[in-house]
Amino acid sequence: MKWLLIPACTLALCCASVQASRLSEYIASPELRAKLQEVYGGRAIQRAEAFSRLLAPRAGTTDQQKIELVNNYFNNLTYSEDPKLWGDEDYWANPLEFIGARGGDCEDYSIAKYYTLMELGVDEKKLRLAYVKAVRYNQFHMVTLYFPTPKADPLVLDNINSRILPGSKRTDLIPVYSFDAKSIWIMKSRREGTLAGSADRLAQWTSMKTRFSSEQLRSPRRQL
């Protein structure tokens, strides 16, 4: 199985109020703490504090250690399908909504890992989100990919299988397309792919980025 890497693009994650380079500062702000408590309750503050500790600089930490820390942290949150948690068929929560609600589905795990790894200093060129077919469950699924080098077999960060394995070892996943903040790469087969244009074609991705940049926090339909 071959996972193709999208050409590197400038990452326009958030606007002035919540940028990747300032996320750790925002997490610690009294304004966010008050908003999290109002929308998600007092325990959300504890989860935000744990997330803030994850974001704290660690001198000499390797990319491998970072992806293990991030994968383990988010995989401890609770899986919940969108209709039950948010009342929508398909809702991509931003990382603060995911942490506030204490869970979500595969898109939420993957997006939160992607943002957090960049906040920890992992080169954006090494990270992608990938939509795949989970063979065992016969359904579509999302994972985060880490490419040590542009042509390397990527490591897969997944909430179904918590072990961080190379893509070639994940024969239970069939790549469909991968994307970053700007571009989409459609997989025509396991060996071929085609650059298919702007990631803004993904309505849920665009909506999630807008909410994150404007500090919107949606209240879940139920508490986990």
Side-chain angles (χ1 to χ4, degrees):
M1 182 183 299
K2 186 175 182 181
W3 303 70
L4 296 188
L5 181 64
I6 305 172
C9 300
T10 302
L11 192 60
L13 290 175
C14 309
C15 70
S17 56
V18 187
Q19 296 178 0
S21 60
R22 297 173 54 191
L23 182 56
S24 57
E25 296 177 14
Y26 180 61
I27 290 293
S29 71
E31 293 80 10
L32 177 63
R33 292 170 64 92
K35 186 178 293 188
L36 284 169
Q37 183 162 351
E38 177 184 358
V39 177
Y40 303 110
R43 291 187 177 181
I45 303 299
Q46 298 174 3
R47 294 192 290 276
E49 290 174 346
F51 185 49
S52 182
R53 290 192 293 272
L54 177 67
L55 295 174
R58 294 174 172 84
T61 306
T62 65
D63 279 3
Q64 180 68 37
Q65 291 170 323
K66 290 173 183 177
I67 65 175
E68 290 174 359
L69 286 168
V70 169
N71 198 57
N72 291 338
Y73 172 81
F74 284 111
N75 281 356
N76 281 323
L77 299 183
T78 302
Y79 178 84
S80 181
E81 296 178 350
D82 288 334
K84 293 180 180 179
L85 182 59
W86 301 108
D88 282 349
E89 284 300 316
D90 189 20
Y91 183 76
W92 294 14
N94 69 52
L96 298 180
E97 292 173 321
F98 182 43
I99 292 168
R102 197 172 68 83
D105 66 2
C106 62
E107 291 91 356
D108 308 329
Y109 286 94
S110 302
I111 290 168
K113 292 172 186 179
Y114 180 76
Y115 272 86
T116 302
L117 286 168
M118 284 188 293
E119 173 68 14
L120 289 172
V122 175
D123 189 342
E124 66 186 66
K125 297 176 183 178
K126 296 182 176 182
L127 298 171
R128 296 293 180 266
L129 293 162
Y131 225 62
V132 301
K133 179 73 174 293
V135 176
R136 177 179 178 184
Y137 299 96
N138 192 31
Q139 65 183 31
F140 291 107
H141 180 56
M142 187 180 286
V143 296
T144 309
L145 303 180
Y146 169 80
F147 291 81
T149 65
K151 295 183 179 181
D153 190 7
L155 298 177
V156 180
L157 285 68
D158 184 14
N159 64 290
I160 289 178
N161 183 346
S162 291
R163 294 178 62 198
I164 300 174
L165 298 171
S168 59
K169 299 294 185 182
R170 293 299 306 271
T171 56
D172 58 317
L173 303 178
I174 301 174
V176 179
Y177 66 84
S178 61
F179 66 100
D180 63 9
K182 290 278 181 108
S183 302
I184 309 172
W185 192 264
I186 302 295
M187 303 302 299
K188 297 169 64 177
S189 71
R190 292 188 179 189
R191 293 183 176 275
E192 298 181 16
T194 302
L195 188 63
S198 172
D200 288 340
R201 294 169 57 186
L202 302 173
Q204 296 291 3
W205 173 248
T206 302
S207 175
M208 183 281 301
K209 289 196 297 179
T210 300
R211 293 194 313 276
F212 199 21
S213 67
S214 59
E215 306 175 19
Q216 296 179 35
L217 297 176
R218 178 170 173 173
S219 178
R221 185 177 183 180
R222 66 167 187 166
Q223 297 294 323
L224 295 178

